[in-house]
Amino acid sequence: MKLVLATSNKGKVREIKALCEDFEIIPYSELIDEFEIVEDGDDFKENALIKARAVFKALNDENVIVLADDSGISVDILDGKPGIYSARYAGAGATDKDNLHKLIDAIKEKNVKSSSAHYTAAIAIVTKESQYSVHGWMHVEVITKALGDKGFGYDPMFIPLGYDKTLGQLDDETKKRLSHRSKALNLAKIILQTL
Ligand code: IMP
């Protein structure tokens, strides 16, 4: 089954490919030119559906199945921020590093060394005649320093519950087992098997 990913985020593409080995996964940017998608939904689910619908329409091929991931971090001491704005927390065009350091600074401003937080992943699947969405979550403690260089995005400051290392230090297999994305993809795979 050919599955087109509505993302070109290298970290996400790598993780989704590793988690969906039974499927032929193609990032949409290998089929058409990348284009800007305005993610103006109110939550992760809406934004995932917006991305999947936009790429399905642009591909102009009724036979494809498009899968989109919208994800982010919600930090309790920051009242759930950055949430759906995780990718642009440090402004439009911000890099993963810019966002990570802005989040560390924002938590430090609260005069704490850590906070509880969670990752959310919403996965949307769009075909010619159907649209689905599922979610996965991972609860963590965020610290005010960046440790390790594995994973991507905010991973170097995230310590999963029950661990004493960040996702930047833990191996890929551990993240694969625990992650918000793998939980959502395990549900998405059930839907994909029925299509
Ligand atoms: P999106 O591409 O619009 O869904 O933005 C996702 C944002 O959340 C990006 O800033 C990512 O770096 C961050 N993010 C999502 N999932 C993860 C993850 O598994 N690890 C680290 N950062 C993540």
Side-chain angles (χ1 to χ4, degrees), residues 154-174:
Y154 297 92
D155 284 346
M157 61 184 294
F158 274 66
I159 301 182
L161 292 191
Y163 287 76
D164 59 4
K165 290 196 167 102
T166 70
L167 287 174
Q169 297 169 305
L170 291 165
D171 55 43
D172 289 352
E173 277 308 307
T174 308

Side-chain angles (χ1 to χ4, degrees), residues 15 72-74 116-121 135-142 155 158-161 163 166-167 170 174-184:
E15 288 189 7
I73 287 101
S74 305
S116 49
H118 62 274
Y119 273 142
T120 305
H135 288 82
W137 291 273
M138 171 167 50
H139 289 267
V140 297
E141 190 74 11
V142 281
D155 284 346
F158 274 66
I159 301 182
L161 292 191
Y163 287 76
T166 70
L167 287 174
L170 291 165
T174 308
K175 183 170 181 195
K176 202 169 160 183
R177 210 158 21 84
L178 302 174
S179 90
H180 51 314
R181 187 161 296 103
S182 59
K183 287 177 188 149

Side-chain angles (χ1 to χ4, degrees), residues 45-57:
K45 171 181 154 182
E46 260 314 300
N47 282 337
L49 283 163
I50 287 169
K51 287 190 244 189
R53 286 187 199 117
V55 168
F56 184 86
K57 190 167 169 215

Side-chain angles (χ1 to χ4, degrees), residues 17 37-38 55 81 96 106 113 119 135 153 159 168 171 179 190:
K17 278 188 171 169
I37 301 172
V38 180
V55 168
K81 288 193 187 97
D96 274 7
K113 289 194 171 132
Y119 273 142
H135 288 82
I159 301 182
D171 55 43
S179 90
I190 298 170

Side-chain angles (χ1 to χ4, degrees), residues 95-111:
T95 64
D96 274 7
K97 272 219 166 94
D98 298 334
N99 289 328
L100 172 80
H101 288 290
K102 173 151 183 189
L103 190 56
I104 287 176
D105 290 345
I107 298 168
K108 275 186 182 163
E109 275 170 27
K110 299 284 179 186
N111 292 318

Side-chain angles (χ1 to χ4, degrees), residues 1-4 24 26 31 56-57 59-66 126-129 192 195:
M1 188 188 303
K2 193 201 278 182
L3 201 54
V4 179
E24 187 194 350
I26 308 171
L31 301 172
F56 184 86
K57 190 167 169 215
L59 287 168
N60 199 20
D61 175 356
E62 293 187 345
N63 296 314
V64 295
I65 297 175
V66 176
V126 169
T127 72
K128 181 181 162 223
E129 64 242 327
L192 291 170
L195 293 174

Side-chain angles (χ1 to χ4, degrees), residues 183-195:
K183 287 177 188 149
L185 276 171
N186 282 337
L187 293 173
K189 280 196 256 182
I190 298 170
I191 296 168
L192 291 170
Q193 303 290 3
T194 69
L195 293 174

